[in-house]
Amino acid sequence: MRIRGRTLPALLLATALGVSALSVNALTAASASTPDSAPPAVSAHAGHVMGASALPSGDDPDGDGYILANPQVTGVTPSTAVPPPAYHHEFQAGCAVTHAAADDPILYPGRPGASHDHTFMGNTTTNAHSTTASLTAGPTSCTAPADASAYWMPSLYKGDRKILPVGPQVIYYKAGVTDYRSVRPFPKGLRFVVGSPTQSAQEFRNHKGFVEGWECGDSFFNTDFPASCPSRPDVQLNLRFQAPSCWDGKYLDTPDHKSHMSYTVVKPGTNDNMCPASHPVALPMIEFKMAWPVNGDMSQVRLSSGRGYSFHYDFFNAWEERTLKALVDHCIVGGLQCDTRGFDLYRPERGAVLNADHRLP
């Protein structure tokens, strides 16, 4: 017997131990603090106690951690088709930093100051009380006004000085599956966490979202911050990290903020990537490509969540649906390498999606 995603034995065990149902919710939510491949566990982390987020909030009034999609996407079979060759299938969302705060509307909704410090991009109103409705109504620092989504990550410090990225940061929307034609837009209100603040260096390096690690100058594939970076104006600290792109079609969020999403799997006998049967809906794969203006001696560089390998990030979708669909269809499904306007410099004959003001005509 299951009760909203929790097995009856778990509730009976909690009762036997004198633990409240709310605490069971908290224990269930704790896997948000662990690597994607690790079992759930409750752990504390430098001002960020994970796993206590299952409380009533604007999008989750009963506080059980499950937010149903409406409508749900059913009857989808993961695509195993081989599409026409297309080296690129992506577009960019350029979003500048808006503010920093010890808030996390996914892990700690309605609890300002409960998190470690985060650097927010995109929606300018993002805070502990943010909901799908509030974000949809809020302004944005993204180049496209239709992208009211919230993007955030742990803040970076050098000593006691907070270092914020300058200018629009590159957030790619790509195809994670081989059949790029099967990708569809994010549902409004979808949210998830990528990575974990408590992961080890090895778990960070082996994470399916790991691309090139921390890099600066000629130093690449670092799981922690390099000891030093060239002291030149053109050198910044960089990181690329990819999100899962396969959705279960049922939930906009789950108690661990991850299990409704999955990374791709390899089609047997091939090198092709496809979504697993448990998460059959192919969505855009978000890739953070962040740059911090810091170099020289890096010995005092840290994240608010800890060492460099504690990097993780959050995404809360609040795109205007019509614009997101137009960009996904033209750039990802269309097999193009698009900029923030949906224009492929190498295929100018295909045109752009957005006008000069980055709005859908």
Side-chain angles (χ1 to χ4, degrees):
M1 177 179 176
R2 296 187 68 84
I3 300 179
R4 289 302 301 271
R6 295 184 295 278
T7 60
L8 182 57
L11 293 176
L12 292 176
L13 176 61
T15 302
L17 295 174
V19 180
S20 68
L22 180 59
S23 296
V24 173
N25 279 334
L27 290 170
T28 305
S31 58
S33 70
T34 60
D36 296 343
S37 59
V42 177
S43 59
H45 178 80
H48 193 159
V49 180
M50 308 292 288
S53 61
L55 296 172
S57 66
D59 285 340
D60 183 22
D62 63 2
D64 71 349
Y66 291 92
I67 301 176
L68 283 169
N70 184 20
Q72 294 187 333
V73 178
T74 60
V76 176
T77 301
S79 177
T80 59
V82 178
Y87 189 77
H88 294 285
H89 12 71
E90 64 186 45
F91 67 91
Q92 298 178 21
C95 303
V97 169
T98 58
H99 61 289
D103 288 354
D104 190 324
I106 294 180
L107 258 69
Y108 299 105
R111 298 171 60 189
S115 172
H116 53 231
D117 199 77
H118 283 113
T119 294
F120 291 90
M121 297 168 288
N123 201 294
T124 65
T125 70
T126 311
N127 60 37
H129 301 287
S130 292
T131 62
T132 302
S134 72
L135 291 176
T136 299
T140 181
S141 69
C142 297
T143 308
D147 185 8
S149 302
Y151 309 85
W152 65 95
M153 59 191 175
S155 295
L156 184 139
Y157 293 81
K158 187 170 187 178
D160 294 329
R161 183 167 62 96
K162 189 180 301 182
I163 308 293
L164 299 178
V166 177
Q169 299 300 293
V170 179
I171 300 171
Y172 287 106
Y173 281 61
K174 299 183 175 183
V177 293
T178 297
D179 187 7
Y180 54 86
R181 302 169 303 176
S182 67
V183 175
R184 64 180 69 194
F186 290 119
K188 179 69 76 68
L190 181 75
R191 68 209 73 181
F192 52 78
V193 178
V194 185
S196 166
T198 59
Q199 64 205 351
S200 68
Q202 190 61 39
E203 288 166 338
F204 178 60
R205 178 65 183 86
N206 293 335
H207 196 283
K208 290 184 177 180
F210 188 94
V211 181
E212 294 181 353
W214 295 100
E215 56 184 36
C216 65
D218 295 325
S219 181
F220 301 92
F221 293 102
N222 298 292
T223 55
D224 206 348
F225 299 119
S228 64
C229 295
S231 297
R232 301 198 313 263
D234 62 323
V235 173
Q236 298 192 85
L237 180 68
N238 297 277
L239 180 70
R240 294 169 59 193
F241 210 76
Q242 297 176 341
S245 60
C246 297
W247 179 45
D248 66 7
K250 301 175 183 177
Y251 296 103
L252 300 178
D253 197 11
T254 43
D256 66 357
H257 315 294
K258 293 183 179 183
S259 61
H260 55 306
M261 301 295 296
S262 172
Y263 285 90
T264 59
V265 296
V266 178
K267 177 182 175 184
T270 72
N271 292 320
D272 295 341
N273 293 319
M274 58 180 288
C275 285
S278 60
H279 296 73
V281 184
L283 301 177
M285 180 189 73
I286 286 181
E287 178 182 302
F288 268 30
K289 186 178 181 182
M290 304 289 108
W292 291 264
V294 61
N295 54 37
D297 178 11
M298 304 288 284
S299 62
Q300 293 188 330
V301 174
R302 60 182 174 86
L303 294 173
S304 59
S305 54
R307 301 280 292 272
Y309 47 78
S310 71
F311 181 81
H312 56 288
Y313 65 87
D314 303 59
F315 169 67
F316 194 143
N317 176 46
W319 273 90
E320 188 273 315
E321 293 97 327
R322 195 170 64 101
T323 303
L324 179 60
K325 178 172 170 44
L327 286 165
V328 169
D329 289 350
H330 182 75
C331 300
I332 298 179
V333 177
L336 299 177
Q337 183 182 16
C338 292
D339 61 12
T340 55
R341 289 185 55 223
F343 178 75
D344 186 342
L345 180 66
Y346 303 101
R347 302 291 301 276
E349 73 279 3
R350 297 283 293 273
V353 176
L354 308 180
N355 61 24
D357 294 326
H358 281 80
R359 298 179 184 274
L360 194 66

